[in-house]
């Protein structure tokens, strides 16, 4: 094809794995439907150069006839759906646990105590998107398109989100001190609850797993931690 460069791309075996390198081609090299310059090849990956489609399995490339890009979408759809399923199922379980803990908390703490917790939660929920600095919208795309810079990209995102979480905690202290002047208990509860922002800032690592279609592991780890925290909350509620 005249859309394929003379030296378009190459597959190299390096440090125990295969890598796909684009050699500065004009029309680009695509891995699982995303244009890449360099990426690690995983079993079942689909490589597309103009008018050519290859499947990478067992350390070998298998040629497939090009059909207007449909083959890429069909081969990769199973991996994408499976990845999304793990995220959705774990989120549903977390939502169910949250509902149970919330109902029990409202009964045990009463209107005043539960209202205070809900007030602190509302402030932290409002600040969470600000803390992430917009990284959640672009991080997966950046890792997929520039895998050679994934360490630098992820490290920068985590570091900036962590620093932002500390600034947000200071913001919580300032806001509550002004809005609820003289209410020491409210200030303490809000500050303790805002510590969650620090853990949420590190949680941005899960986007690396999403970019690699490996959300099974991150979702199960987060779910396990969420269950442990929920059980601890229930223990505190019923033991006083």
């Amino acid at each position: 094809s005249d859309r394929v460069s003379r030296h378009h791309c190459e597959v190299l075996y390096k440090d125990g794995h295969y890598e796909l390198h684009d050699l500065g081609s004009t029309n680009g090299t695509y891995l699982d439907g995303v244009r890449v310059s360099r990426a690690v090849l995983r079993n079942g990956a689909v490589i597309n150069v103009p008018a050519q489609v290859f499947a990478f399995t067992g350390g070998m490339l298998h040629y497939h006839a090009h059909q207007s890009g449909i083959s890429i979408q069909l081969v990769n759809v199973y991996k994408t759906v499976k990845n999304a399923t793990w995220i959705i199922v774990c989120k549903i379980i977390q939502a169910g646990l949250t509902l149970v803990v919330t109902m029990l908390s409202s009964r045990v703490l009463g209107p005043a105590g539960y209202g205070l917790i809900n007030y602190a939660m509302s402030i932290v929920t409002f600040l969470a998107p600000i803390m992430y600095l917009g990284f959640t919208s672009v991080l997966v795309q950046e890792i997929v398109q520039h895998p050679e810079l994934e360490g630098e990209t992820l490290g920068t995102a985590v570091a900036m989100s962590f620093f932002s979480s500390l600034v947000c905690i200071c913001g919580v202290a300032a806001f509550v001190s002004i809005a609820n002047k003289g209410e020491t208990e409210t200030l303490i509860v809000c500050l303790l609850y805002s510590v969650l922002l620090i853990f949420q800032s590190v949680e941005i690592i899960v986007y690396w797993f999403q970019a690699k279609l490996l959300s099974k592991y991150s979702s199960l780890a987060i779910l396990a931690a969420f269950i442990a925290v929920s059980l601890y909350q229930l223990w505190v509620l019923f033991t006083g």
Side-chain angles (χ1 to χ4, degrees), residues 116-151:
L116 178 57
I117 295 296
N118 201 43
Y119 177 64
M121 181 176 64
S122 299
I123 296 175
V124 172
T125 301
F126 173 78
L127 288 175
I130 299 174
M131 176 202 67
Y132 283 124
L133 302 173
F135 283 118
T136 56
S137 301
V138 299
L139 193 56
V140 172
Q141 181 179 358
E142 285 296 315
I143 292 175
V144 171
Q145 292 185 348
H146 305 286
E148 70 279 4
L149 298 175
E150 63 181 28

Side-chain angles (χ1 to χ4, degrees), residues 14-74:
K14 182 179 179 182
D15 298 330
H17 61 265
Y18 289 91
E19 291 185 0
L20 173 65
H21 294 189
D22 181 81
L23 301 177
S25 62
T26 302
N27 294 304
T29 301
Y30 292 79
L31 179 64
D32 292 332
V34 178
R35 185 167 182 168
V36 297
S37 57
R38 177 179 297 182
V40 174
L41 286 174
R42 303 186 184 280
N43 200 45
V46 177
I47 302 170
N48 174 251
V49 298
Q52 310 291 330
V53 178
F54 301 89
F56 179 78
T57 55
M60 299 180 63
L61 289 176
H62 303 274
Y63 175 75
H64 294 269
H66 186 275
Q67 297 179 357
S68 302
I70 297 176
S71 56
I72 291 181
Q73 298 174 18
L74 292 178

Side-chain angles (χ1 to χ4, degrees), residues 132 135 139 154 157-158 161 200-208:
Y132 283 124
F135 283 118
L139 193 56
L154 188 62
V158 171
S161 295
Q200 290 179 3
S201 68
V202 181
E203 209 174 273
I204 204 170
I205 295 174
V206 302
Y207 290 97
W208 181 88

